[in-house]
Amino acid sequence: MEKLEQYRNYIQKALLEHAQKGSSTNREDGVETQIIFDTEHDHYQLMYVGWHNKRRVYGAVLHLDIKDGKIWVQWNGTEEDIASSLVELGVPKQDIVLGFQAPYKRQFTEFAIG
C-alpha cells in the first residue's frame, strides 16, 4: 500500500512539473492545461483544451495508469521522457510499462513487458 501511494505521488509530481513548464506558452495561445487525477481508479492525465487559430485543441498529452503495482505510460505526446523522469524519482524500471508500445515490442525495452 505504501508503494501505491508513493507511485501516485510520483505521477502527480511529474504531471504537475510538466504542466508548469508548458503553462506560460499555452496561456498565450488560448489553450488551457488541465491535470486530471483519478486516485480512486489510478488514472492520471495532462490535457490541453481550448482554441488556437480557430482550431479546436483537445486531447491528452500524457496519460499514466497504475495497474497491478506497475505504472503504465499509456500515452506520451511530449518530447519529454516521462519514464526516465519516473526512474529518477525512484521507480524501478521493472515497475514501468510502456503501454503505448505494442506488447511484442516491450521485450526489447529496458522496462517491464506488462
Side-chain angles (χ1 to χ4, degrees), residues 61-80:
V61 180
L62 286 166
H63 176 175
L64 294 95
D65 294 329
I66 300 175
K67 298 192 303 188
D68 301 323
K70 295 182 180 173
I71 297 175
W72 285 67
V73 181
Q74 301 288 14
W75 177 251
N76 183 1
T78 72
E79 294 179 7
E80 195 170 310

Side-chain angles (χ1 to χ4, degrees), residues 72 97-108 112-114:
W72 285 67
V97 179
L98 303 179
F100 58 86
Q101 292 279 357
Y104 72 91
K105 289 183 177 177
R106 292 182 201 148
Q107 64 183 314
F108 303 112
I113 56 172

Side-chain angles (χ1 to χ4, degrees), residues 19 22-23 25-35 46-52 56-59 61:
S23 63
T25 336
N26 291 332
R27 272 187 244 136
E28 293 171 9
D29 68 4
V31 178
E32 180 182 347
T33 301
Q34 295 184 356
I35 302 170
L46 177 69
M47 305 273 302
Y48 288 159
V49 179
W51 289 89
H52 179 70
R56 180 71 172 157
V57 176
Y58 180 86
V61 180

